[in-house]
Amino acid sequence: VGSHNAFRPAGEMIVTCVKPRLAHAGVRNLLPTSQPWSAVADEDIPISQRDLMVTWHSLPTTVMQNLVRWKVPIPPDESEAFLHSWQLTAHMLGILDEYIPKSWGEANAQAEQVLRPVLAATPEGVKLAHMLLDLGAEIDGGFITRPVLGSLTRFVLGDEIAGWLE
């Protein structure tokens, strides 16, 4: 999201957003035909807008909340630009515009509604966290190593959640 030219035609964000959209489409099509899933699912279609917003808030909202908590001085225009880059990413990932927060205040309120109540340790969360750490280490030629990303994740999310993610 933050790399130079990320959203330009040759940037990585277009491909980065298309890949999960294709995966989500496959899951939405195939998973409802699975009897085990259908027997326990609390929704008819997997990977709902709410699910996408949970994931979205786990990234920009959590980061911005921590930067504010740590009293990192962020000029208002940079804060707005950071939010805008994530708003654009949300749109490209298929989140309906009506659900994309228009301000950090809206993002914080929405995160309390959709993210906080579902935070818990799960095997799927551990697997996804490790996949994201590997993906992050591959960006920009691997200049940021997986151990550095793991340490940053622990610092940002805190010991409890980092422990859940192993």
Side-chain angles (χ1 to χ4, degrees):
V1 172
S3 64
H4 187 66
N5 297 327
F7 297 98
R8 295 191 181 207
E12 295 177 10
M13 283 308 297
I14 294 169
V15 173
T16 299
C17 289
V18 168
K19 287 178 182 180
R21 286 195 75 168
L22 289 171
H24 292 166
V27 169
R28 285 188 189 107
N29 184 50
L30 295 173
L31 196 55
T33 65
S34 163
Q35 184 57 38
W37 184 81
S38 298
V40 298
D42 60 355
E43 57 192 359
D44 294 330
I45 301 172
I47 311 177
S48 66
Q49 289 289 302
R50 181 182 185 90
D51 297 333
L52 293 171
M53 290 310 305
V54 165
T55 302
W56 189 87
H57 283 297
S58 69
L59 296 164
T61 307
T62 300
V63 167
M64 186 54 74
Q65 287 172 343
N66 280 300
L67 292 173
V68 168
R69 189 183 69 196
W70 300 330
K71 296 180 174 54
V72 174
I74 304 170
D77 60 333
E78 288 187 29
S79 176
E80 290 303 311
F82 182 64
L83 177 60
H84 181 71
S85 68
W86 280 98
Q87 290 166 325
L88 182 55
T89 300
H91 178 81
M92 291 173 64
L93 286 169
I95 295 173
L96 298 176
D97 290 343
E98 63 202 65
Y99 299 127
I100 301 172
K102 293 174 183 42
S103 69
W104 286 118
E106 279 187 30
N108 291 330
Q110 192 181 64
E112 281 299 314
Q113 289 179 323
V114 300
L115 176 60
R116 293 281 167 227
V118 299
L119 286 177
T122 66
E124 297 84 4
V126 171
K127 185 173 182 178
L128 179 59
H130 288 269
M131 290 169 65
L132 290 172
L133 287 173
D134 289 339
L135 175 66
E138 292 174 14
I139 295 174
D140 290 330
F143 291 117
I144 299 176
T145 65
R146 194 176 195 281
V148 169
L149 285 172
S151 297
L152 181 60
T153 299
R154 177 171 294 281
F155 185 68
V156 170
L157 298 179
D159 288 337
E160 180 181 31
I161 294 174
W164 292 347
L165 299 175
E166 299 176 11

